[in-house]
């Protein structure tokens, strides 16, 4: 059962617990209703160049504007949507929304001409046979070039069924889309498989960033991943940077890009436009 938490009807979905049939059915119908009635929205978090702090891309992060419970983060519904399959249409919506938003920023300002976008994929979406067509369609409909889109997947999604994963990754690569491994270091990647996969970006999980300015073990781990990135010609991004001390440590370790509250929290499209055009800053 998803535990009932506070004022939110939906608790953090814990797959090790079983929701009652009733709870499951209710959440499913609420999610369906939400999709039909445009209750989802996408916020965008800047990813910056570690040296210059200039914004190179933004990551699309979905939210549910729940009519009763207010703005819900992904931990309240992604797990359930994954379990009941609604993640496929929801993920498709996020993908299409993000591509359309990128086109709209670009149309509004030359400052967005080289901006790129990152979209998270869930395991079920990654296994879905129509994924590659969905991605191609979203890009075509928005008029966005494939090279401007990076799809984020996790290690567990790759290692579960390596041959199928490989085929999907190569089909996406064929389109020209870039691929990132999200939350790197928290799963189990086999280095020999990693070498064979067309991965462009490694995103180092926040858990390695939290104490990197004070913990020599974290420095050693991040240093190793930076070396791995260099050896495999993959770019590195550090996630969850909140302080100048973390930033300078990671910059000195040669990490290419950074993401975190220090540079900007997830923000709405207007705030991102303002950030790009220098009209305003995102409050951190
Ligand atoms: P993620 O892809 O690893 O995204 C990074 C998460 O860390 C985001 O949480 C972001 O708001 C948060 N974050 C970024 N910088 C900082 C920081 O400096 N400090 C702290 N404390 N947190 C930071 P969010 O938006 O709650 O998303 C959580 C996860 O939900 C994402 O992790 C991703 O796995 C998933 N998710 C979000 N949007 C989507 C989506 O459209 N589709 C799918 N399948 N998953 C999504
Ligand atoms: Mg991500
Ligand atoms: Mg991550
Ligand atoms: Mg994460």
């Amino acid at each position: 059962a998803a535990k009932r938490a506070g004022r939110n009807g939906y608790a953090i979905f814990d797959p090790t617990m079983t929701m009652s049939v009733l709870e499951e059915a209710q959440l499913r119908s609420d999610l369906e209703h939400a999709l039909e009635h445009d209750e989802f929205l996408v916020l965008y978090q800047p990813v910056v160049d570690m040296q210059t702090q200039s914004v190179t891309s933004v990551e699309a992060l979905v939210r549910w504007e729940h009519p009763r419970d207010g703005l819900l983060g992904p931990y309240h519904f992604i797990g359930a949507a994954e379990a009941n399959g609604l993640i496929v249409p929801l993920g498709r919506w996020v993908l299409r929304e993000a591509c359309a938003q990128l086109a709209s920023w670009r149309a509004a300002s030359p400052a967005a001409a080289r901006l790129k976008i990152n979209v998270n994929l869930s395991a079920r979406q990654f296994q879905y046979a129509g994924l590659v067509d969905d991605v191609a369609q979203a890009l075509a409909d928005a008029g966005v070039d494939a090279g401007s889109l990076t799809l984020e997947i996790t290690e567990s999604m790759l290692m579960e069924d390596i041959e199928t994963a490989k085929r999907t990754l190569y089909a996406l690569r064929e389109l020209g889309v870039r691929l990132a491994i999200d939350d790197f270091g928290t799963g189990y990647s086999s280095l020999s498989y990693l070498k064979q996969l067309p991965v462009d970006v490694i995103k180092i999980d926040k858990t390695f960033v939290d104490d990197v300015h004070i913990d020599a073990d974290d420095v050693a781990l991040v240093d190793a991943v930076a070396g791995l990135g260099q050896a495999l010609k993959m770019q590195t991004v550090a996630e969850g940077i909140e302080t100048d001390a973390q930033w300078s440590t990671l910059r000195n370790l040669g990490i290419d890009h950074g993401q975190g509250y220090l540079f900007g929290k997830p923000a709405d499209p207007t705030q991102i436009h303002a950030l790009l055009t220098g009209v305003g800053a995102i409050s951190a």
Side-chain angles (χ1 to χ4, degrees):
K3 266 185 305 184
R4 293 284 158 183
R7 66 189 180 88
N8 292 329
Y10 314 100
I12 312 261
F13 179 82
D14 177 352
T16 63
M17 299 166 79
T18 13
M19 281 175 110
S20 77
V21 174
L22 217 66
E23 284 176 318
E24 224 174 80
Q26 183 63 52
L27 184 47
R28 185 189 170 100
S29 93
D30 286 356
L31 284 167
E32 275 170 342
H33 180 274
L35 264 172
E36 278 161 26
H37 292 82
D38 266 344
E39 290 173 12
F40 292 103
L41 58 98
V42 183
L43 298 183
Y44 299 88
Q45 187 181 30
V47 177
V48 306
D49 182 296
M50 273 303 245
Q51 300 299 329
T52 64
Q53 280 205 59
S54 63
V55 180
T56 53
S57 71
V58 290
E59 177 173 3
L61 295 162
V62 69
R63 299 290 183 266
W64 181 3
E65 183 65 82
H66 193 283
R68 191 189 60 233
D69 297 330
L71 198 64
L72 301 181
Y75 292 117
H76 292 275
F77 57 90
I78 288 281
E82 176 80 22
N84 66 28
L86 286 174
I87 192 68
V88 172
L90 175 57
R92 182 189 296 124
W93 179 81
V94 172
L95 180 69
R96 296 182 60 82
E97 181 71 17
C99 290
Q101 185 57 60
L102 180 62
S104 147
W105 280 317
R106 285 179 173 176
S109 167
R114 288 188 304 157
L115 183 72
K116 292 174 156 63
I117 196 140
N118 289 38
V119 175
N120 292 285
L121 293 184
S122 79
R124 192 124 170 199
Q125 248 184 310
F126 189 64
Q127 289 154 7
Y128 168 62
L131 173 69
V132 180
D133 287 343
D134 279 358
V135 172
Q137 196 65 51
L139 290 166
D141 289 349
V144 164
D145 58 298
S148 295
L149 173 66
T150 299
L151 295 175
E152 301 192 358
I153 53 194
T154 59
E155 290 164 278
S156 56
M157 286 157 61
L158 294 177
M159 298 304 149
E160 210 165 286
D161 175 359
I162 186 84
E163 284 312 316
T164 309
K166 223 166 140 176
R167 268 202 302 280
T168 305
L169 290 182
Y170 275 100
L172 290 168
R173 159 62 60 91
E174 187 80 1
L175 278 183
V177 166
R178 288 158 50 86
L179 299 160
I181 301 189
D182 204 354
D183 307 336
F184 189 80
T186 61
Y188 302 90
S189 286
S190 149
L191 292 184
S192 64
Y193 284 134
L194 195 58
K195 192 185 97 172
Q196 302 171 36
L197 298 173
V199 171
D200 304 281
V201 180
I202 300 174
K203 297 189 76 170
I204 303 168
D205 194 70
K206 181 177 184 301
T207 51
F208 303 99
V209 167
D210 287 338
D211 293 332
V212 74
H213 56 302
I214 47 170
D215 187 333
D217 291 342
D218 287 327
V219 168
L221 287 169
V222 170
D223 196 29
V225 178
L228 186 72
Q230 241 164 23
L232 298 180
K233 301 198 168 49
M234 296 171 184
Q235 288 195 332
T236 46
V237 182
E239 304 191 84
I241 302 174
E242 294 179 347
T243 67
D244 283 320
Q246 292 165 340
W247 174 37
S248 64
T249 306
L250 293 160
R251 193 182 48 211
N252 292 335
L253 287 167
I255 300 302
D256 301 308
H257 293 94
Q259 190 175 355
Y261 294 172
L262 180 66
F263 312 115
K265 285 188 172 175
D268 67 32
T270 310
Q271 291 173 297
I272 295 294
H273 174 82
L275 180 77
L276 292 170
T277 54
V279 175
I282 292 178
S283 58

